[in-house]
Amino acid sequence: MPNKDKKNATSAEREAPAGRNAPGVTEGMRAFVSDTYMLLAKTQSCHWNMRGPDFIGLHKLTEEQYNELFVAVDELAERIRALDELAPNSVREMMELSRLEELSAAPSTAEVIDILAADNQAMAGRAKELAEEADEAGDPATHDMLAARVEAHQKAAWLLRAHHPHGNGRSTTAMAGR
Ligand SMILES: [Fe+2]
């Protein structure tokens, strides 16, 4: 199989500036915005439909969290526009791009903690990976925005776990999948 060397690169590829608007970063941001929107919807539906012990505490916490996500998703999507790419255009597109699983049934309060804490932990990991990509692409503004999301998602996961009646607030291996 012949090697594709630099001689065969198109002129656009040769002249593509390193740094701003790196395609991998904007594509990653589009998926991250979609994940954020899905987590917002999932957090809000838990706020409405969950049942069980400490309902009021978790009802208030999930409200704080979906409000925080609502502000964050706007900033993330506008960063994509500032990089001269389009943010996801529809809920359908975001569902296709998102890597989070939808809720299939109304959860108990204990399930809410496990599901949303695992989702937030996964989001923190994705934000960290994408922040590193942005840094390598010479895009410190996107890096810093994503670094702030690492902190926000790790804090959200901790606050959820701290509500667990039998937990100690530390991370568990319990994963979502619901
Ligand atoms: Fe509410």
Side-chain angles (χ1 to χ4, degrees), residues 9 20 40 51 65 69 120 129 141 147 150 153 176:
R20 276 183 67 246
L40 191 171
R51 277 171 280 185
Q65 293 188 343
L69 290 165
N120 273 287
E129 276 175 26
V150 175
H153 285 295

Side-chain angles (χ1 to χ4, degrees), residues 3-67:
N3 284 332
K4 185 177 184 244
D5 59 26
K6 282 184 181 167
K7 270 194 310 196
N8 296 328
T10 65
S11 62
E13 280 169 343
R14 279 196 303 272
E15 287 160 23
R20 276 183 67 246
N21 197 10
V25 174
T26 44
E27 269 313 297
M29 283 289 279
R30 284 164 50 78
F32 194 74
V33 160
S34 302
D35 284 335
T36 305
Y37 217 93
M38 291 296 285
L39 183 58
L40 191 171
K42 207 166 163 179
T43 303
Q44 195 166 34
S45 72
C46 288
H47 169 82
W48 295 328
N49 290 331
M50 68 182 158
R51 277 171 280 185
D54 194 26
F55 171 83
I56 284 295
L58 265 179
H59 186 69
K60 288 178 181 164
L61 178 62
T62 47
E63 180 166 335
E64 281 172 22
Q65 293 188 343
Y66 71 66
N67 283 328

